[in-house]
Amino acid sequence: MRSIFLVFCLLSSTFFFSQDKLNLIPYPQKIELLEGEFIIPETFILDESLPKEETEYFKKYIDKVFKFKNEKNKNTVHLVYSLYPPTLSHIPKKDEEKKEKYSIYISPKRIIINSYTKQGYFLALQTLIQLFEQYKDSGKIPAMKIEDEPKFAWRGMHLDVCRHFFTVAEVKQYIDYLAMYKLNTFHWHLTDDQGWRIEIKKYPKLTQIGSKRKESMIGAYVDNTFDGKIYGPYFYTQDQIKEVVKYAAERYITVVPEIEMPGHALAALSAYPELACTKGPFEPATKWGVFDDVFCPKDETFKFLENVLDEVMTLFPSQYIHIGGDECPKTRWKECAHCQELIKKNNLKDEHGLQSYFIHRIEKYVNSKARKIIGWDEILEGGLAPNAAVMSWTGVNGGIEAAKSGHFAVMTPGSYCYFDHYQGDPATEPNAFGGFTPLDKVYSYNPIPSELNAEQAKFIKGVQANLWTEYILDFKQVQYMIFPRLFALSEVGWGTSDPKNYKEFEGRVINEFKVLDKMGVNYAKSIYNITGKVTAANTGVSYELSTSQDPNGIRYTLDGTDPTANSQVYKTPVSVSKSLMIKSAYFEKGQLKSAISSQTFTVSKTTGKKITLEQQPSENYSFGGAFTLVDGIIGNQKQLGKTWLGFQGKDVVATIDFGHKTQFSEVYFNTLDNKGSWIHFAKSAQIFISDDGTNFKMIKEIGKEEILKAKGKIKLNVGNQSSQYIKVKIENAGIIPAGNPGADSKAWLFVDEIGVN
């Protein structure tokens, strides 16, 4: 950066600018307040040497926001003040990391931007636009100096256009959102079981056949209902792809295409069934989930994929090509003579080794074109390809394994970065995939796992959030699911998030809603709703209510009626010692300002008691931890929200301490069945009791048939019992059998409240 700023610092008295004063997202690395103010003029003079395309972007925004009068002469343009140009110097390779670095100096008379590249200048303009937005009403901006650069090189958002399709205009809007908040990677999920969305000229049937399906699932997956309407044909022509890539490049956003392999291939196999292990016929999937028919690793398949990738790499100049690699069932490969011969011929251990062979072969081809592959963390199965990068979604372990072995990783764990999860109370939210990922949880994420040392941490390339669209029917719902969580992702990726000061960030988010309102964006307002936190109490549990607004505005009822402005004012956590329904809402000046939140408590003798688990739930479905099973809240079997714990391939072994010898005769718990998402009812369950917490006696056992008959809602008569401890063991279904989605993979077991009466 130029030393001109040292002069300004000597001429001005400086002090650090309080972070709660500026409504900037992501927040810059360093801000200093200088003496004086910059008065926003009616007419702007733009220095002629400013980078042209980037400045035009700024002019269009300022013109749209401020509607200033035009004043033209040979040295001025539409909006004018003195925006002095950055230092645009050639960057040696060793300084590549400085390409997004910039600084802004705002004095009472002028604004100076310095950067190493036009990209840095463009990022500075995003900050400047936010400053103008914040101070346009007052007409003056505090004099200041901002020095800024991102922590992570990959700051991404993903969009699935296969389950539901979005137009070129909508995709461009999506890219605009990324640019506004300094994200730099757009991961475009273009192929899947439910649709092939990219024109490949050598294989026209991919779009003729693979871009439409006969109908689509609607509602919750467990309802198994369909709309009966043909969906498609929907795809992007190569000219449209080029248009989007160019549009993104103008905003310094890299578009990374994803072509799924070897699984999630039904749409492609529908067009070219000879690429499968069986003869078919196939059709694009109408259900969501995972399917057994995948690409068969034979020479004609690889030739097909190489030809597809040739056209893809011509369209997309990105360094990385995403090849999927996730959720590939091995059922067909186990039954395929060619696959078994290939395993034997290449001395592969098993079908997981065959997946590694598949990925290695594709990577070798992509590398021959001077590109690299990135894939979901299942590409680690059987050994990672030599130059591959990993996108860690099943948790953080894939990223840890990749980084420790010297491979780059992008962290996108479902528990923090899946924006198809609920972000508020599922009862008041649109139908979503499941899980619970509210704004504060996204904001709390640290992409660098604590298990990595400083050298290994260098291989964490960045962070990304994913938007899968099984339950997202239109672009308005896309907006709803990404905002405001995109704000949190932006700040996490920039490296300035501070979970300890979440409330300060929340205030900036609420201020930024004014910008979204002006743009007509349909964002989620869950942040305004009342949130509840359950904690243990001497008798039962306590229910703590909170809001992003004035807590004195919370009103609640305990009799199931809707609260009004005259209902009880919330002061302290509500004691819950018996079954009841708590309804709450936020009121301002007597007017209802939030949705009405409702929580039903079913209190039993285990409610609020001490509980331990022998094995912990998956990170994606662990909200509240073990206490979730004794918090008095029974989950909705159609909504995998925060009331359920999920265990993949693990049994649930929960021990509950009543605190003293307790009499009971009934034990209940719920489990789920949703085979499309690899969730299966438990195989069996056993109940044990103990007086010392060490020596347990089994008092009840049930098998799979009884669990199926009860449809997962288990209520057991155990006779008259008396003990201090109860242990409930719920056995996972194990390996998913053939003929089911995810065959040969570990089944998921979902459990909620364990109650005793």
Side-chain angles (χ1 to χ4, degrees), residues 203 274-275 296-305 361:
Y203 300 107
E274 64 272 19
L275 304 177
C296 187
K298 48 193 176 185
D299 288 343
E300 60 192 292
T301 299
F302 287 111
K303 187 61 180 175
F304 165 83
L305 290 171
R361 186 160 168 177

Side-chain angles (χ1 to χ4, degrees), residues 26 54 57 98-104 113 115 117-130 148-150 155 178-184 251-253 494:
E54 295 76 9
Y57 174 96
K98 294 181 180 179
K99 68 182 180 181
E100 294 186 293
K101 190 171 184 175
Y102 71 88
S103 60
I104 300 174
I113 295 175
S115 67
T117 66
K118 291 182 180 181
Q119 184 173 1
Y121 173 66
F122 183 79
L123 292 171
L125 291 180
Q126 303 309 314
T127 301
L128 202 56
I129 285 169
Q130 289 190 25
D148 203 15
E149 62 183 315
R155 305 181 304 283
L178 273 58
M180 286 174 66
Y181 300 102
K182 299 188 176 74
L183 301 177
N184 65 0
R251 287 149 181 77
Y252 294 95
I253 290 172
W494 201 257

Side-chain angles (χ1 to χ4, degrees), residues 539-551:
T539 304
V541 294
S542 286
Y543 193 50
E544 180 182 349
L545 302 176
S546 62
T547 175
S548 60
Q549 308 301 297
D550 178 3

Side-chain angles (χ1 to χ4, degrees), residues 676-695:
S677 297
W678 303 12
I679 302 169
H680 289 247
F681 281 142
K683 184 188 295 185
S684 67
Q686 297 90 35
I687 313 297
F688 304 83
I689 58 173
S690 171
D691 286 330
D692 59 10
T694 301
N695 300 296

Side-chain angles (χ1 to χ4, degrees), residues 160-164 191-197 209-218 221 224-227 229-232 263-271 281-293 469-470 676 741:
D160 164 23
V161 296
C162 301
R163 279 53 178 252
H164 286 98
T191 74
D192 215 300
D193 294 302
Q194 294 80 12
W196 184 282
R197 305 293 180 213
I209 297 173
S211 71
K212 59 185 176 182
R213 55 179 181 260
K214 67 181 182 184
E215 60 183 356
S216 304
M217 288 194 84
I218 53 174
Y221 187 93
N224 199 37
T225 56
F226 298 83
D227 61 9
K229 299 175 183 177
I230 294 173
Y231 192 83
H264 287 291
L266 264 181
L269 298 180
S270 301
F282 310 105
E283 64 178 8
T286 57
K287 280 190 172 186
W288 318 134
V290 179
F291 303 90
D292 286 342
D293 290 296
T469 61
E470 287 94 335

Side-chain angles (χ1 to χ4, degrees), residues 25-26 57-58 60-61 64 122-123 126 129-130 157 159 167-186 243-244 246-255 475 478-479 482-483 486-487 490 512 515-516 519 521:
I25 298 175
Y57 174 96
F58 176 70
K60 287 177 184 176
Y61 181 88
K64 183 170 56 178
F122 183 79
L123 292 171
Q126 303 309 314
I129 285 169
Q130 289 190 25
M157 271 298 302
L159 180 63
T167 66
V168 168
E170 290 167 340
V171 171
K172 286 181 175 180
Q173 281 186 60
Y174 198 81
I175 289 168
D176 282 337
Y177 303 149
L178 273 58
M180 286 174 66
Y181 300 102
K182 299 188 176 74
L183 301 177
N184 65 0
T185 305
F186 172 47
E243 181 184 343
V244 169
K246 180 177 182 291
Y247 188 86
E250 290 168 352
R251 287 149 181 77
Y252 294 95
I253 290 172
T254 299
V255 183
F475 194 68
V478 167
Q479 295 172 332
I482 66 172
F483 285 116
L486 185 146
F487 296 152
S490 163
E512 195 66 14
V515 175
L516 298 185
M519 294 168 59
V521 172

